[in-house]
Amino acid sequence: MPRPDNPLRVLVVDDESMIADSLVRIFNGQGFESLAAYNGHAAVAIAVEFAPHVLITDVVMPGMNGFELAIRFSQLLPQCRVILFSGQAETVDLREKAGVEPRRFDIYTKPVSPQIFINRLQMEQNLLQ
């Protein structure tokens, strides 16, 4: 469980608010400090103040897709870890269009068990200590 004096900050981005909000509730219940955003532009605005350690974002979103957001975060907050997830077949096409190398960011296929994310976040929390 994360240390309460230095919780890992996690920003969850998904245009399906129920998914983003559910993950935030789960992560906060595990002791992480989590916020939700429902599009890439809102995520960038939140990140300026929140300075997340980890970004978890859907890939297929209107406006700024998850790959574009990941690239923006790597410029804005280079220390922020980026985890993408998608249930859409066009993920490969979007990755290629954005010019993202296949192994640059971790990508999980929906549905993703929250426990997989929790395990990854606990690993990231341990790196902060």
Coordinates of all heavy atoms in Angstrom, one line a residue, residues 13-82:
V13 N -7.4 9.2 -17.8 CA -8.0 9.9 -18.9 C -8.8 8.9 -19.8 O -8.2 7.9 -20.3 CB -7.0 10.7 -19.8 CG1 -7.8 11.5 -20.8 CG2 -6.1 11.5 -18.9
D14 N -10.1 9.1 -19.9 CA -10.9 8.2 -20.8 C -12.2 9.1 -21.1 O -12.7 9.7 -20.2 CB -11.3 6.9 -20.1 CG -11.8 5.9 -21.1 OD1 -12.6 6.2 -22.0 OD2 -11.5 4.7 -20.9
D15 N -12.6 9.1 -22.3 CA -13.8 9.8 -22.7 C -15.0 9.1 -22.2 O -16.1 9.7 -22.2 CB -13.8 10.1 -24.2 CG -13.8 8.8 -25.1 OD1 -13.1 7.9 -24.7 OD2 -14.6 8.7 -26.0
E16 N -14.9 7.9 -21.8 CA -16.0 7.2 -21.1 C -15.9 7.5 -19.6 O -15.1 6.9 -18.9 CB -16.0 5.7 -21.4 CG -16.3 5.4 -22.8 CD -16.3 3.9 -23.1 OE1 -17.0 3.2 -22.3 OE2 -15.7 3.4 -24.0
S17 N -16.6 8.5 -19.1 CA -16.5 9.0 -17.8 C -16.6 7.9 -16.7 O -16.0 7.9 -15.7 CB -17.4 10.1 -17.5 OG -18.8 9.7 -17.6
M18 N -17.5 6.9 -17.0 CA -17.7 5.8 -16.0 C -16.4 5.0 -15.8 O -16.1 4.6 -14.7 CB -18.9 4.9 -16.4 CG -19.2 3.9 -15.4 SD -20.7 3.0 -15.7 CE -20.5 2.2 -17.3
I19 N -15.7 4.8 -16.8 CA -14.4 4.1 -16.7 C -13.4 4.9 -15.9 O -12.8 4.4 -15.0 CB -13.9 3.7 -18.1 CG1 -14.8 2.6 -18.8 CG2 -12.4 3.1 -18.0 CD1 -14.4 2.3 -20.2
A20 N -13.2 6.1 -16.3 CA -12.3 7.0 -15.7 C -12.6 7.2 -14.2 O -11.8 7.0 -13.3 CB -12.2 8.4 -16.3
D21 N -13.9 7.5 -13.9 CA -14.3 7.7 -12.5 C -14.2 6.4 -11.7 O -13.8 6.5 -10.5 CB -15.7 8.2 -12.5 CG -15.9 9.6 -13.0 OD1 -14.9 10.3 -13.1 OD2 -17.0 10.0 -13.4
S22 N -14.5 5.3 -12.3 CA -14.4 4.0 -11.5 C -12.9 3.7 -11.2 O -12.6 3.3 -10.0 CB -14.9 2.8 -12.4 OG -16.3 3.0 -12.6
L23 N -12.0 3.9 -12.1 CA -10.6 3.7 -11.8 C -10.1 4.6 -10.8 O -9.3 4.2 -9.9 CB -9.8 3.8 -13.1 CG -9.9 2.6 -14.1 CD1 -9.2 2.9 -15.4 CD2 -9.4 1.3 -13.5
V24 N -10.5 5.9 -10.8 CA -10.1 6.9 -9.8 C -10.6 6.4 -8.4 O -9.8 6.5 -7.5 CB -10.6 8.3 -10.2 CG1 -10.5 9.2 -9.0 CG2 -9.8 8.8 -11.3
R25 N -11.8 6.0 -8.3 CA -12.3 5.5 -7.0 C -11.5 4.3 -6.5 O -11.1 4.3 -5.3 CB -13.8 5.2 -7.1 CG -14.7 6.4 -7.0 CD -16.2 6.0 -6.8 NE -16.7 5.1 -7.8 CZ -17.2 5.6 -9.0 NH1 -17.2 6.9 -9.3 NH2 -17.7 4.8 -9.9
I26 N -11.2 3.4 -7.4 CA -10.4 2.2 -7.0 C -9.0 2.6 -6.6 O -8.5 2.2 -5.5 CB -10.4 1.2 -8.2 CG1 -11.8 0.6 -8.4 CG2 -9.3 0.1 -7.9 CD1 -11.9 -0.2 -9.7
F27 N -8.4 3.5 -7.4 CA -7.0 3.9 -7.0 C -6.9 4.7 -5.8 O -6.1 4.5 -4.9 CB -6.4 4.7 -8.2 CG -6.2 3.9 -9.5 CD1 -6.1 4.6 -10.7 CD2 -6.2 2.5 -9.5 CE1 -6.0 3.9 -11.9 CE2 -6.1 1.8 -10.7 CZ -6.0 2.5 -11.9
N28 N -7.9 5.6 -5.6 CA -7.9 6.4 -4.3 C -8.1 5.4 -3.1 O -7.6 5.7 -2.1 CB -9.0 7.5 -4.4 CG -8.6 8.6 -5.3 OD1 -7.4 8.8 -5.6 ND2 -9.5 9.4 -5.7
G29 N -9.0 4.4 -3.3 CA -9.2 3.5 -2.2 C -8.0 2.6 -1.9 O -7.9 2.1 -0.8
Q30 N -7.0 2.6 -2.8 CA -5.8 1.9 -2.6 C -4.7 2.8 -2.0 O -3.5 2.4 -1.9 CB -5.3 1.2 -3.9 CG -6.1 0.1 -4.3 CD -6.1 -1.1 -3.4 OE1 -5.0 -1.5 -3.0 NE2 -7.2 -1.7 -3.0
G31 N -5.0 4.1 -1.8 CA -4.0 5.0 -1.2 C -3.3 5.9 -2.2 O -2.4 6.7 -1.8
F32 N -3.6 5.8 -3.5 CA -3.0 6.6 -4.5 C -3.8 7.9 -4.5 O -5.0 8.0 -4.1 CB -3.0 6.0 -5.8 CG -2.3 4.7 -5.9 CD1 -3.0 3.5 -6.0 CD2 -0.9 4.6 -5.8 CE1 -2.3 2.3 -6.0 CE2 -0.2 3.4 -5.8 CZ -0.9 2.2 -5.9
E33 N -3.2 9.0 -5.0 CA -3.9 10.3 -5.2 C -4.3 10.3 -6.7 O -3.4 10.5 -7.5 CB -3.1 11.4 -4.8 CG -3.8 12.8 -4.9 CD -2.9 13.9 -4.4 OE1 -1.8 13.6 -3.8 OE2 -3.2 15.0 -4.7
S34 N -5.6 10.2 -7.0 CA -6.0 10.1 -8.4 C -7.0 11.1 -8.8 O -7.9 11.4 -8.0 CB -6.5 8.7 -8.7 OG -5.7 7.7 -8.3
L35 N -6.9 11.5 -10.1 CA -7.9 12.4 -10.7 C -8.3 11.9 -12.0 O -7.5 11.2 -12.7 CB -7.3 13.8 -10.8 CG -7.0 14.6 -9.6 CD1 -6.4 16.0 -10.0 CD2 -8.3 14.8 -8.7
A36 N -9.5 12.3 -12.5 CA -10.0 11.9 -13.8 C -10.0 13.1 -14.7 O -10.3 14.2 -14.3 CB -11.3 11.2 -13.7
A37 N -9.8 12.8 -16.0 CA -10.1 13.8 -17.1 C -10.8 13.0 -18.2 O -10.6 11.8 -18.3 CB -8.8 14.4 -17.6
Y38 N -11.6 13.7 -19.0 CA -12.4 13.0 -20.0 C -12.0 13.3 -21.4 O -12.6 12.9 -22.3 CB -13.9 13.3 -19.7 CG -14.2 13.1 -18.3 CD1 -14.6 14.2 -17.5 CD2 -14.1 11.9 -17.7 CE1 -14.9 14.0 -16.1 CE2 -14.4 11.7 -16.3 CZ -14.8 12.7 -15.6 OH -15.1 12.6 -14.3
N39 N -10.9 14.0 -21.6 CA -10.3 14.3 -22.9 C -8.9 14.7 -22.7 O -8.4 15.1 -21.6 CB -11.1 15.2 -23.7 CG -11.2 16.6 -23.1 OD1 -10.2 17.3 -23.0 ND2 -12.4 17.1 -22.7
G40 N -8.1 14.7 -23.8 CA -6.7 15.0 -23.7 C -6.4 16.5 -23.3 O -5.5 16.7 -22.6
H41 N -7.2 17.4 -23.8 CA -7.0 18.8 -23.5 C -7.2 19.1 -22.0 O -6.4 19.8 -21.4 CB -7.8 19.7 -24.4 CG -7.5 19.6 -25.9 ND1 -6.3 20.0 -26.4 CD2 -8.2 18.9 -26.9 CE1 -6.3 19.7 -27.7 NE2 -7.4 19.1 -28.0
A42 N -8.2 18.5 -21.5 CA -8.5 18.6 -20.0 C -7.3 18.0 -19.2 O -6.9 18.5 -18.2 CB -9.8 18.0 -19.6
A43 N -6.8 16.9 -19.7 CA -5.7 16.2 -19.0 C -4.5 17.1 -19.0 O -3.8 17.2 -17.9 CB -5.4 14.9 -19.7
V44 N -4.2 17.8 -20.1 CA -3.0 18.7 -20.1 C -3.2 19.8 -19.1 O -2.3 20.2 -18.3 CB -2.8 19.2 -21.5 CG1 -1.7 20.3 -21.5 CG2 -2.3 18.0 -22.4
A45 N -4.4 20.4 -19.1 CA -4.7 21.5 -18.1 C -4.6 21.0 -16.7 O -4.0 21.7 -15.9 CB -6.1 22.0 -18.4
I46 N -5.1 19.8 -16.4 CA -5.0 19.3 -15.0 C -3.5 19.0 -14.6 O -3.1 19.2 -13.5 CB -5.9 18.0 -14.9 CG1 -7.4 18.4 -14.9 CG2 -5.6 17.3 -13.6 CD1 -8.3 17.2 -15.1
A47 N -2.8 18.5 -15.6 CA -1.4 18.1 -15.3 C -0.5 19.2 -14.9 O 0.4 19.0 -14.1 CB -0.8 17.4 -16.5
V48 N -0.8 20.4 -15.3 CA 0.0 21.6 -15.0 C 0.0 21.8 -13.4 O 1.1 22.0 -12.8 CB -0.5 22.8 -15.7 CG1 0.2 24.1 -15.2 CG2 -0.3 22.7 -17.2
E49 N -1.1 21.6 -12.8 CA -1.2 21.8 -11.3 C -1.0 20.5 -10.6 O -0.3 20.5 -9.6 CB -2.6 22.3 -11.0 CG -2.9 23.7 -11.4 CD -2.1 24.7 -10.5 OE1 -2.0 24.5 -9.3 OE2 -1.6 25.7 -11.1
F50 N -1.5 19.4 -11.1 CA -1.5 18.1 -10.4 C -0.1 17.4 -10.5 O 0.3 16.7 -9.6 CB -2.6 17.2 -11.0 CG -2.8 15.9 -10.3 CD1 -3.1 15.9 -8.9 CD2 -2.8 14.7 -11.0 CE1 -3.3 14.6 -8.3 CE2 -3.0 13.5 -10.4 CZ -3.3 13.5 -9.0
A51 N 0.6 17.6 -11.6 CA 1.9 17.0 -11.8 C 1.9 15.5 -11.5 O 2.6 15.0 -10.6 CB 3.0 17.7 -11.0
P52 N 1.1 14.7 -12.3 CA 1.0 13.3 -12.0 C 2.3 12.5 -12.2 O 3.1 12.9 -13.0 CB 0.0 12.8 -13.0 CG 0.0 13.7 -14.1 CD 0.4 15.1 -13.5
H53 N 2.5 11.5 -11.4 CA 3.6 10.6 -11.6 C 3.3 9.6 -12.7 O 4.3 9.1 -13.4 CB 3.9 9.8 -10.3 CG 4.3 10.6 -9.1 ND1 3.5 10.9 -8.1 CD2 5.4 11.3 -8.9 CE1 4.1 11.6 -7.2 NE2 5.3 11.9 -7.7
V54 N 2.0 9.3 -12.9 CA 1.6 8.3 -13.8 C 0.4 8.8 -14.6 O -0.5 9.3 -13.9 CB 1.3 6.9 -13.2 CG1 0.8 5.9 -14.2 CG2 2.5 6.3 -12.5
L55 N 0.4 8.7 -15.9 CA -0.8 8.9 -16.7 C -1.3 7.6 -17.2 O -0.5 6.8 -17.8 CB -0.4 9.8 -17.9 CG -1.4 10.0 -19.0 CD1 -2.6 10.8 -18.5 CD2 -0.8 10.6 -20.3
I56 N -2.6 7.3 -17.0 CA -3.2 6.2 -17.6 C -4.3 6.7 -18.5 O -5.2 7.4 -18.1 CB -3.8 5.3 -16.5 CG1 -2.8 4.7 -15.6 CG2 -4.6 4.1 -17.2 CD1 -3.3 3.9 -14.4
T57 N -4.1 6.4 -19.8 CA -5.1 7.0 -20.8 C -5.6 6.0 -21.8 O -4.8 5.1 -22.3 CB -4.4 8.2 -21.5 OG1 -5.4 8.8 -22.4 CG2 -3.2 7.8 -22.3
D58 N -6.8 6.2 -22.2 CA -7.4 5.5 -23.3 C -6.7 6.0 -24.5 O -6.2 7.1 -24.6 CB -8.9 5.7 -23.3 CG -9.6 4.9 -24.3 OD1 -9.1 3.9 -24.8 OD2 -10.8 5.3 -24.7
V59 N -6.7 5.1 -25.6 CA -6.1 5.5 -26.8 C -7.1 6.2 -27.7 O -6.8 7.3 -28.2 CB -5.5 4.3 -27.6 CG1 -5.0 4.7 -29.0 CG2 -4.3 3.7 -26.8
V60 N -8.2 5.6 -27.9 CA -9.2 6.1 -28.9 C -10.1 7.1 -28.2 O -11.0 6.7 -27.4 CB -10.0 5.0 -29.5 CG1 -11.0 5.6 -30.5 CG2 -9.1 4.0 -30.2
M61 N -9.9 8.4 -28.4 CA -10.7 9.5 -27.8 C -10.8 10.6 -28.9 O -10.0 10.8 -29.7 CB -10.0 10.1 -26.6 CG -9.8 9.2 -25.4 SD -9.1 10.0 -24.0 CE -7.5 10.4 -24.5
P62 N -12.0 11.3 -28.8 CA -12.1 12.4 -29.8 C -11.1 13.5 -29.5 O -10.7 13.7 -28.4 CB -13.6 12.9 -29.6 CG -13.9 12.4 -28.2 CD -13.1 11.1 -28.0
G63 N -10.8 14.3 -30.5 CA -9.9 15.4 -30.3 C -8.5 14.8 -30.3 O -8.0 14.3 -31.2
M64 N -7.8 14.9 -29.1 CA -6.5 14.4 -28.9 C -6.6 13.0 -28.5 O -7.1 12.6 -27.4 CB -5.8 15.3 -27.8 CG -4.3 14.9 -27.6 SD -3.6 15.8 -26.2 CE -3.9 17.5 -26.5
N65 N -6.0 12.1 -29.3 CA -6.0 10.7 -28.9 C -5.0 10.4 -27.9 O -4.1 11.2 -27.6 CB -5.9 9.7 -30.2 CG -4.6 9.8 -30.8 OD1 -3.5 9.6 -30.2 ND2 -4.6 9.9 -32.2
G66 N -5.0 9.2 -27.4 CA -4.1 8.8 -26.3 C -2.6 8.8 -26.7 O -1.8 9.2 -25.8
F67 N -2.3 8.5 -27.9 CA -0.9 8.6 -28.3 C -0.4 10.1 -28.4 O 0.7 10.4 -28.0 CB -0.6 7.9 -29.7 CG -0.7 6.4 -29.6 CD1 -1.7 5.7 -30.2 CD2 0.2 5.7 -28.9 CE1 -1.8 4.4 -30.2 CE2 0.1 4.3 -28.8 CZ -0.9 3.6 -29.4
E68 N -1.3 10.9 -28.9 CA -0.9 12.3 -29.0 C -0.8 12.9 -27.6 O 0.1 13.7 -27.3 CB -2.0 13.1 -29.7 CG -2.0 12.7 -31.2 CD -3.3 13.2 -31.9 OE1 -4.4 13.4 -31.3 OE2 -3.3 13.4 -33.1
L69 N -1.6 12.5 -26.7 CA -1.6 12.9 -25.3 C -0.3 12.4 -24.6 O 0.4 13.1 -23.9 CB -2.8 12.4 -24.5 CG -2.8 12.8 -23.0 CD1 -2.8 14.3 -22.8 CD2 -4.1 12.1 -22.4
A70 N 0.1 11.1 -24.9 CA 1.3 10.5 -24.4 C 2.5 11.3 -24.8 O 3.5 11.6 -24.0 CB 1.4 9.1 -24.8
I71 N 2.6 11.7 -26.1 CA 3.7 12.5 -26.6 C 3.7 13.9 -25.9 O 4.8 14.3 -25.5 CB 3.6 12.6 -28.1 CG1 3.8 11.3 -28.8 CG2 4.5 13.7 -28.7 CD1 3.5 11.2 -30.3
R72 N 2.6 14.5 -25.8 CA 2.5 15.8 -25.1 C 3.0 15.7 -23.7 O 3.7 16.5 -23.2 CB 1.0 16.3 -25.1 CG 0.9 17.6 -24.5 CD 1.4 18.8 -25.4 NE 1.2 20.0 -24.8 CZ 2.1 20.8 -24.2 NH1 3.4 20.4 -24.3 NH2 1.8 21.9 -23.7
F73 N 2.6 14.6 -23.0 CA 3.0 14.4 -21.6 C 4.5 14.2 -21.5 O 5.2 14.7 -20.6 CB 2.3 13.3 -20.9 CG 1.1 13.7 -20.1 CD1 0.0 14.3 -20.6 CD2 1.2 13.6 -18.7 CE1 -1.0 14.8 -19.9 CE2 0.1 14.0 -17.9 CZ -1.0 14.6 -18.5
S74 N 5.1 13.5 -22.5 CA 6.5 13.2 -22.5 C 7.3 14.5 -22.6 O 8.4 14.6 -22.2 CB 6.9 12.2 -23.5 OG 6.7 12.6 -24.8
Q75 N 6.7 15.5 -23.3 CA 7.3 16.8 -23.4 C 7.1 17.7 -22.2 O 8.0 18.4 -21.7 CB 6.8 17.5 -24.7 CG 7.1 16.8 -25.9 CD 6.2 17.3 -27.1 OE1 5.2 18.0 -26.9 NE2 6.6 16.9 -28.3
L76 N 5.8 17.7 -21.7 CA 5.4 18.5 -20.6 C 6.0 18.0 -19.2 O 6.5 18.8 -18.4 CB 3.9 18.6 -20.5 CG 3.2 19.5 -19.5 CD1 3.5 20.9 -19.7 CD2 1.7 19.2 -19.5
L77 N 5.9 16.7 -19.0 CA 6.3 16.1 -17.8 C 7.1 14.9 -18.1 O 6.6 13.7 -18.0 CB 5.1 15.7 -16.9 CG 4.1 16.8 -16.5 CD1 2.8 16.3 -16.0 CD2 4.8 17.6 -15.4
P78 N 8.4 15.0 -18.4 CA 9.2 13.9 -18.9 C 9.3 12.8 -17.9 O 9.6 11.6 -18.3 CB 10.5 14.5 -19.3 CG 10.5 15.9 -18.9 CD 9.1 16.3 -18.5
Q79 N 9.2 13.1 -16.6 CA 9.3 12.0 -15.6 C 8.0 11.2 -15.4 O 8.0 10.2 -14.7 CB 9.7 12.6 -14.2 CG 11.0 13.4 -14.3 CD 12.2 12.5 -14.8 OE1 12.3 11.4 -14.4 NE2 13.0 13.1 -15.6
C80 N 6.9 11.7 -16.0 CA 5.6 11.0 -15.8 C 5.6 9.7 -16.6 O 6.0 9.7 -17.8 CB 4.5 11.9 -16.3 SG 2.9 11.2 -16.1
R81 N 5.3 8.6 -16.0 CA 5.2 7.3 -16.7 C 3.8 7.3 -17.4 O 2.8 7.8 -16.9 CB 5.1 6.1 -15.7 CG 6.3 6.1 -14.8 CD 7.4 5.3 -15.5 NE 8.5 5.0 -14.6 CZ 9.7 5.2 -14.8 NH1 10.1 5.6 -16.0 NH2 10.6 4.9 -13.9
V82 N 3.8 6.8 -18.6 CA 2.6 6.7 -19.4 C 2.2 5.3 -19.7 O 3.0 4.5 -20.2 CB 2.8 7.5 -20.8 CG1 1.6 7.4 -21.6 CG2 3.2 8.9 -20.5

